[in-house]
Amino acid sequence: MPTFGLDRTGRLDRDLGDGVTATITVAPPGTVTVNHSTTAERPPDPGRPVGRSSLRCGPFDSDSPGGRPPDPRRVVGRSSLRCGPFDWDFLVRHVTAALNRERAAFEAMLPAGHRWPLARWRDEILAHPLSAAVACGLVWEVETGEGATLTGLPARDGDGWALTTVDGTRVALAGGATARLWHPVDAGSDEVRAWRAALGADPARQPFDQVFRSVHLIAPAERETRSYSNRFAAHLLSEPALGPLVRAGRWAWTSDGRAESWIERDELSGAFADGGWQARFYVDEIEDGHFATDQVRFYRREDADWHHVDLETVPPRVFSDAMRDVETWVAACSVAADPGWSDTGAERRPAGAWRAAAFGDLTETAERRREVLAGLLPGLRAADRMELTDRFLRVRGTLRTYDIHLGSGNIRMRPDDTYLCVVASRSRDDPGFLPSDGDRRLSLILSKALLLADDAAITDPTITAQLRRR
């Protein structure tokens, strides 16, 4: 991967002339910032805009030291941007895209539990400005030479590296055997809570859900069924909502294990641990564009064949992440998220399906969401109007009291449990301090809570008409 001219700290400076210097900085957990500065000796010409047209300084070679423009007659290699006028916006887009690819690559490696030799980890990951920007926002396990394991966030320590542990102690990495990404499924509950408390107080997000990742362990009922899980069976999912999620991830529609088109699908399969494991989620298409969910099974690759295995033989990271993906689909695509879905009329629709899913028991992710909210609520401006119950975030407004379901995000108004329809939209009340970008439903729930805490100030007629109806 190219460095795009960034130095080892993730910084690139460009002299634009007229005393103007542009600086691009890449920092954990994978953010890109651009700043312009001026020198007192040479103030910029006020008539010269600092924009795309003024940022040309020749072709840009991403691998040249300091980002110096190369010979314009030379075509740079695959690891660089091709010759052309230097465009700052163009560079920022490429750096951002590269960071997104790194973020996805690290998350794909998480269930595999891949171990790097420590020297290679430092030389290939931490020494690269883009890889380091992502890696330093993640928790790592480093096996020391004495056989012990040190867990923490990588941080620069002079010319070397250190790990910042959960209590804030910085330990220099003088030696060690291997490094791998930490996963909460391997840690005890006390350690997970400690890391969540440490990162939950910091507004900086991780590159992806790691510390706040939902954990799925094999349940007693699954030990009885042995070879399959019914944990997410008997749900109704919307086809238009499910399709884009499947296509955007590591799963694909399959039939008898072979990738197929959007037609004749009966299962979804996802590859894990460098393609050595496969999870399959079985579904049945029913009328009106909905799917009925069934079992989740796991397969191990042996030579060129897939072999169905018992759940207890599946690596915990693979099992947990596969079930997390399935739970995400069920939460996002269930009829619970569509209050307009009617559970009457069609013969195959179970009575009360929407209400049971919209306000029922919490999933693993929703339980984790409740834990995060418990830490966030005391810092909210309307904390005195909010409280957590077993399944809801209760908000006391001036006009009504509201229960927001921690799983679906649906709202019902007390005391008669009337459903309140609030269309999701980003606003100034959209929280920007969540510990991870991965849980959009948490952001939605908090946005609704902040809105309803000041319900007397709501002016949207589609909402006020519902609030004042008795």
Side-chain angles (χ1 to χ4, degrees):
M1 181 173 62
T3 64
F4 299 98
L6 297 163
D7 64 19
R8 68 187 187 95
T9 67
R11 179 185 175 111
L12 171 63
D13 294 313
R14 279 284 180 173
D15 182 2
L16 305 181
D18 293 335
V20 178
T21 299
T23 301
I24 179 172
T25 305
V26 177
T31 58
V32 182
T33 58
V34 178
N35 293 297
H36 295 86
S37 60
T38 61
T39 60
E41 294 79 7
R42 295 184 61 189
D45 180 355
R48 181 187 180 206
V50 180
R52 290 174 60 103
S53 60
S54 64
L55 297 180
R56 295 195 184 100
C57 45
F60 181 75
D61 184 347
S62 63
D63 290 331
S64 59
R68 188 171 61 188
D71 183 344
R73 295 167 296 179
R74 182 174 66 87
V75 177
V76 300
R78 292 183 59 187
S79 62
S80 306
L81 301 178
R82 290 196 171 274
C83 288
F86 180 77
D87 186 327
W88 198 257
D89 292 341
F90 181 72
L91 172 61
V92 170
R93 289 197 301 271
H94 274 266
V95 170
T96 302
L99 285 169
N100 289 336
R101 290 193 296 270
E102 281 294 277
R103 186 182 294 111
F106 276 113
E107 186 167 19
M109 288 185 284
L110 184 61
H114 179 76
R115 294 183 183 274
W116 282 268
L118 194 64
R120 181 183 172 193
W121 180 61
R122 285 186 296 214
D123 295 343
E124 296 185 9
I125 294 179
L126 299 184
H128 194 287
L130 298 185
S131 297
V134 178
C136 289
L138 298 168
V139 180
W140 293 80
E141 298 174 356
V142 174
E143 289 185 346
T144 64
E146 295 77 24
T149 300
L150 183 64
T151 302
L153 296 159
R156 290 191 178 276
D157 185 30
D159 292 332
W161 289 90
L163 283 185
T164 303
T165 62
V166 68
D167 61 0
T169 303
R170 180 168 290 193
V171 181
L173 292 175
T178 62
R180 74 166 181 169
L181 284 167
W182 178 90
H183 196 299
V185 77
D186 299 326
S189 57
D190 290 342
E191 182 183 359
V192 173
R193 281 195 295 268
W195 273 114
R196 290 179 178 178
L199 294 187
D202 189 337
R205 297 178 172 92
Q206 286 197 282
F208 55 82
D209 266 342
Q210 183 200 25
V211 167
F212 287 88
R213 204 173 193 83
S214 60
V215 171
H216 295 264
L217 303 175
I218 298 176
E222 291 162 339
R223 298 186 190 279
E224 294 181 6
T225 58
R226 295 184 58 184
S227 62
Y228 62 90
S229 169
N230 277 328
R231 186 179 305 193
F232 299 110
H235 287 272
L236 294 179
L237 308 184
S238 166
E239 176 183 352
L242 181 60
L245 291 180
V246 172
R247 288 192 289 266
R250 57 188 157 199
W251 293 67
W253 286 104
T254 63
S255 179
D256 297 328
R258 299 182 302 275
E260 299 288 349
S261 66
W262 191 250
I263 310 299
E264 298 181 358
R265 57 262 190 197
D266 56 10
E267 68 184 49
L268 298 95
S269 64
F272 294 85
D274 300 325
W277 288 87
Q278 186 182 78
R280 297 182 188 176
F281 181 35
Y282 292 85
V283 296
D284 291 316
E285 186 175 11
I286 61 176
E287 58 189 62
D288 298 333
H290 289 83
F291 288 100
T293 64
D294 203 341
Q295 302 172 355
V296 177
R297 299 185 177 221
F298 288 84
Y299 295 77
R300 183 177 60 239
R301 182 185 290 277
E302 295 180 4
D303 297 326
D305 298 323
W306 290 106
H307 296 269
H308 182 207
V309 299
D310 288 349
L311 300 182
E312 292 192 80
T313 67
V314 180
R317 291 188 177 207
V318 172
F319 180 86
S320 183
D321 273 33
M323 299 300 275
R324 173 180 177 267
D325 288 346
V326 175
E327 185 195 23
T328 298
W329 299 335
V330 171
C333 307
S334 171
V335 295
D338 180 11
W341 185 84
S342 172
D343 55 14
T344 60
E347 182 180 352
R348 297 184 65 182
R349 292 180 180 175
W354 177 79
R355 179 163 291 276
F359 299 108
D361 294 338
L362 300 184
T363 62
E364 293 284 344
T365 295
E367 290 285 2
R368 186 213 66 173
R369 189 176 296 136
R370 188 183 188 283
E371 181 181 335
V372 175
L373 276 170
L376 292 175
L377 288 185
L380 297 181
R381 65 172 183 269
D384 59 331
R385 295 189 171 203
M386 302 180 189
E387 65 174 316
L388 283 170
T389 67
D390 57 343
R391 290 174 290 155
F392 299 92
L393 173 58
R394 182 163 295 164
V395 181
R396 292 185 300 275
T398 301
L399 304 177
R400 303 287 290 265
T401 296
Y402 313 90
D403 285 341
I404 307 175
H405 192 258
L406 300 177
S408 65
N410 287 312
I411 309 168
R412 62 187 189 187
M413 298 183 288
R414 295 172 62 86
D416 54 357
D417 291 344
T418 302
Y419 179 83
L420 174 63
C421 179
V422 176
V423 178
S425 64
R426 297 186 61 88
S427 70
R428 68 178 185 275
D429 288 329
D430 189 20
F433 52 84
L434 301 183
S436 173
D437 277 330
D439 193 350
R440 301 296 184 187
R441 189 65 55 87
L442 174 58
S443 179
L444 175 64
I445 289 171
L446 280 174
S447 297
K448 290 181 176 180
L450 293 172
L451 174 72
L452 297 173
D454 191 19
D455 56 1
I458 297 175
T459 58
D460 188 332
T462 64
I463 300 178
T464 57
Q466 300 176 78
L467 300 184
R468 301 184 186 279
R469 185 172 60 236
R470 296 287 182 174

PDB file of all heavy atoms in Angstrom, residues 51-65:
ATOM      1  N   GLY A  51      -7.575  26.789  -3.278  1.00  0.00           N
ATOM      2  CA  GLY A  51      -8.537  25.766  -3.664  1.00  0.00           C
ATOM      3  C   GLY A  51      -7.917  24.789  -4.619  1.00  0.00           C
ATOM      4  O   GLY A  51      -6.698  24.691  -4.733  1.00  0.00           O
ATOM      5  N   ARG A  52      -8.734  24.057  -5.333  1.00  0.00           N
ATOM      6  CA  ARG A  52      -8.226  23.036  -6.238  1.00  0.00           C
ATOM      7  C   ARG A  52      -7.291  23.645  -7.280  1.00  0.00           C
ATOM      8  O   ARG A  52      -6.240  23.092  -7.563  1.00  0.00           O
ATOM      9  CB  ARG A  52      -9.387  22.342  -6.940  1.00  0.00           C
ATOM     10  CG  ARG A  52     -10.208  21.471  -6.022  1.00  0.00           C
ATOM     11  CD  ARG A  52     -11.416  20.947  -6.755  1.00  0.00           C
ATOM     12  NE  ARG A  52     -11.028  20.154  -7.914  1.00  0.00           N
ATOM     13  CZ  ARG A  52     -11.053  18.831  -7.949  1.00  0.00           C
ATOM     14  NH1 ARG A  52     -11.397  18.162  -6.895  1.00  0.00           N
ATOM     15  NH2 ARG A  52     -10.718  18.173  -9.042  1.00  0.00           N
ATOM     16  N   SER A  53      -7.656  24.822  -7.832  1.00  0.00           N
ATOM     17  CA  SER A  53      -6.859  25.374  -8.917  1.00  0.00           C
ATOM     18  C   SER A  53      -5.489  25.851  -8.447  1.00  0.00           C
ATOM     19  O   SER A  53      -4.575  25.971  -9.242  1.00  0.00           O
ATOM     20  CB  SER A  53      -7.610  26.543  -9.561  1.00  0.00           C
ATOM     21  OG  SER A  53      -7.851  27.546  -8.605  1.00  0.00           O
ATOM     22  N   SER A  54      -5.335  26.157  -7.140  1.00  0.00           N
ATOM     23  CA  SER A  54      -4.067  26.681  -6.650  1.00  0.00           C
ATOM     24  C   SER A  54      -3.191  25.606  -6.026  1.00  0.00           C
ATOM     25  O   SER A  54      -2.110  25.908  -5.541  1.00  0.00           O
ATOM     26  CB  SER A  54      -4.321  27.774  -5.616  1.00  0.00           C
ATOM     27  OG  SER A  54      -4.979  27.226  -4.493  1.00  0.00           O
ATOM     28  N   LEU A  55      -3.657  24.352  -6.006  1.00  0.00           N
ATOM     29  CA  LEU A  55      -2.911  23.295  -5.343  1.00  0.00           C
ATOM     30  C   LEU A  55      -2.137  22.440  -6.319  1.00  0.00           C
ATOM     31  O   LEU A  55      -1.714  21.343  -5.992  1.00  0.00           O
ATOM     32  CB  LEU A  55      -3.871  22.418  -4.534  1.00  0.00           C
ATOM     33  CG  LEU A  55      -4.590  23.137  -3.390  1.00  0.00           C
ATOM     34  CD1 LEU A  55      -5.501  22.164  -2.671  1.00  0.00           C
ATOM     35  CD2 LEU A  55      -3.599  23.742  -2.422  1.00  0.00           C
ATOM     36  N   ARG A  56      -1.968  22.902  -7.548  1.00  0.00           N
ATOM     37  CA  ARG A  56      -1.210  22.139  -8.529  1.00  0.00           C
ATOM     38  C   ARG A  56       0.279  22.380  -8.337  1.00  0.00           C
ATOM     39  O   ARG A  56       0.725  23.514  -8.265  1.00  0.00           O
ATOM     40  CB  ARG A  56      -1.608  22.546  -9.954  1.00  0.00           C
ATOM     41  CG  ARG A  56      -3.037  22.213 -10.322  1.00  0.00           C
ATOM     42  CD  ARG A  56      -3.216  22.311 -11.833  1.00  0.00           C
ATOM     43  NE  ARG A  56      -4.610  22.091 -12.197  1.00  0.00           N
ATOM     44  CZ  ARG A  56      -5.453  23.066 -12.463  1.00  0.00           C
ATOM     45  NH1 ARG A  56      -5.059  24.317 -12.383  1.00  0.00           N
ATOM     46  NH2 ARG A  56      -6.702  22.801 -12.796  1.00  0.00           N
ATOM     47  N   CYS A  57       1.041  21.302  -8.212  1.00  0.00           N
ATOM     48  CA  CYS A  57       2.497  21.459  -8.129  1.00  0.00           C
ATOM     49  C   CYS A  57       3.166  20.294  -8.821  1.00  0.00           C
ATOM     50  O   CYS A  57       4.174  19.780  -8.373  1.00  0.00           O
ATOM     51  CB  CYS A  57       2.960  21.577  -6.679  1.00  0.00           C
ATOM     52  SG  CYS A  57       2.225  20.390  -5.562  1.00  0.00           S
ATOM     53  N   GLY A  58       2.577  19.836  -9.911  1.00  0.00           N
ATOM     54  CA  GLY A  58       3.185  18.771 -10.687  1.00  0.00           C
ATOM     55  C   GLY A  58       2.623  17.415 -10.344  1.00  0.00           C
ATOM     56  O   GLY A  58       1.854  17.257  -9.417  1.00  0.00           O
ATOM     57  N   PRO A  59       3.015  16.413 -11.111  1.00  0.00           N
ATOM     58  CA  PRO A  59       2.566  15.058 -10.836  1.00  0.00           C
ATOM     59  C   PRO A  59       2.991  14.629  -9.446  1.00  0.00           C
ATOM     60  O   PRO A  59       4.035  15.044  -8.955  1.00  0.00           O
ATOM     61  CB  PRO A  59       3.234  14.227 -11.927  1.00  0.00           C
ATOM     62  CG  PRO A  59       3.617  15.216 -12.974  1.00  0.00           C
ATOM     63  CD  PRO A  59       3.899  16.490 -12.261  1.00  0.00           C
ATOM     64  N   PHE A  60       2.182  13.776  -8.817  1.00  0.00           N
ATOM     65  CA  PHE A  60       2.437  13.375  -7.437  1.00  0.00           C
ATOM     66  C   PHE A  60       2.801  11.908  -7.377  1.00  0.00           C
ATOM     67  O   PHE A  60       2.044  11.047  -7.788  1.00  0.00           O
ATOM     68  CB  PHE A  60       1.187  13.618  -6.593  1.00  0.00           C
ATOM     69  CG  PHE A  60       1.360  13.244  -5.147  1.00  0.00           C
ATOM     70  CD1 PHE A  60       2.088  14.059  -4.309  1.00  0.00           C
ATOM     71  CD2 PHE A  60       0.817  12.080  -4.653  1.00  0.00           C
ATOM     72  CE1 PHE A  60       2.254  13.727  -2.986  1.00  0.00           C
ATOM     73  CE2 PHE A  60       0.989  11.741  -3.333  1.00  0.00           C
ATOM     74  CZ  PHE A  60       1.704  12.574  -2.496  1.00  0.00           C
ATOM     75  N   ASP A  61       3.980  11.607  -6.850  1.00  0.00           N
ATOM     76  CA  ASP A  61       4.420  10.226  -6.652  1.00  0.00           C
ATOM     77  C   ASP A  61       4.230   9.894  -5.190  1.00  0.00           C
ATOM     78  O   ASP A  61       4.884  10.463  -4.323  1.00  0.00           O
ATOM     79  CB  ASP A  61       5.894  10.085  -7.039  1.00  0.00           C
ATOM     80  CG  ASP A  61       6.396   8.645  -6.942  1.00  0.00           C
ATOM     81  OD1 ASP A  61       5.679   7.826  -6.347  1.00  0.00           O
ATOM     82  OD2 ASP A  61       7.492   8.381  -7.462  1.00  0.00           O
ATOM     83  N   SER A  62       3.317   8.976  -4.895  1.00  0.00           N
ATOM     84  CA  SER A  62       2.993   8.694  -3.512  1.00  0.00           C
ATOM     85  C   SER A  62       4.130   8.054  -2.763  1.00  0.00           C
ATOM     86  O   SER A  62       4.136   8.016  -1.540  1.00  0.00           O
ATOM     87  CB  SER A  62       1.774   7.765  -3.438  1.00  0.00           C
ATOM     88  OG  SER A  62       2.070   6.535  -4.042  1.00  0.00           O
ATOM     89  N   ASP A  63       5.140   7.494  -3.459  1.00  0.00           N
ATOM     90  CA  ASP A  63       6.237   6.828  -2.763  1.00  0.00           C
ATOM     91  C   ASP A  63       7.504   7.671  -2.726  1.00  0.00           C
ATOM     92  O   ASP A  63       8.515   7.239  -2.189  1.00  0.00           O
ATOM     93  CB  ASP A  63       6.557   5.492  -3.447  1.00  0.00           C
ATOM     94  CG  ASP A  63       5.443   4.487  -3.233  1.00  0.00           C
ATOM     95  OD1 ASP A  63       4.779   4.603  -2.200  1.00  0.00           O
ATOM     96  OD2 ASP A  63       5.254   3.627  -4.101  1.00  0.00           O
ATOM     97  N   SER A  64       7.493   8.830  -3.338  1.00  0.00           N
ATOM     98  CA  SER A  64       8.697   9.650  -3.337  1.00  0.00           C
ATOM     99  C   SER A  64       8.867  10.305  -1.972  1.00  0.00           C
ATOM    100  O   SER A  64       7.890  10.680  -1.339  1.00  0.00           O
ATOM    101  CB  SER A  64       8.621  10.726  -4.422  1.00  0.00           C
ATOM    102  OG  SER A  64       7.502  11.560  -4.208  1.00  0.00           O
ATOM    103  N   PRO A  65      10.098  10.434  -1.462  1.00  0.00           N
ATOM    104  CA  PRO A  65      10.323  11.012  -0.129  1.00  0.00           C
ATOM    105  C   PRO A  65       9.716  12.399  -0.021  1.00  0.00           C
ATOM    106  O   PRO A  65       9.948  13.269  -0.851  1.00  0.00           O
ATOM    107  CB  PRO A  65      11.856  11.054  -0.027  1.00  0.00           C
ATOM    108  CG  PRO A  65      12.338  10.018  -1.011  1.00  0.00           C
ATOM    109  CD  PRO A  65      11.347  10.047  -2.131  1.00  0.00           C
TER     110      PRO A  65
END
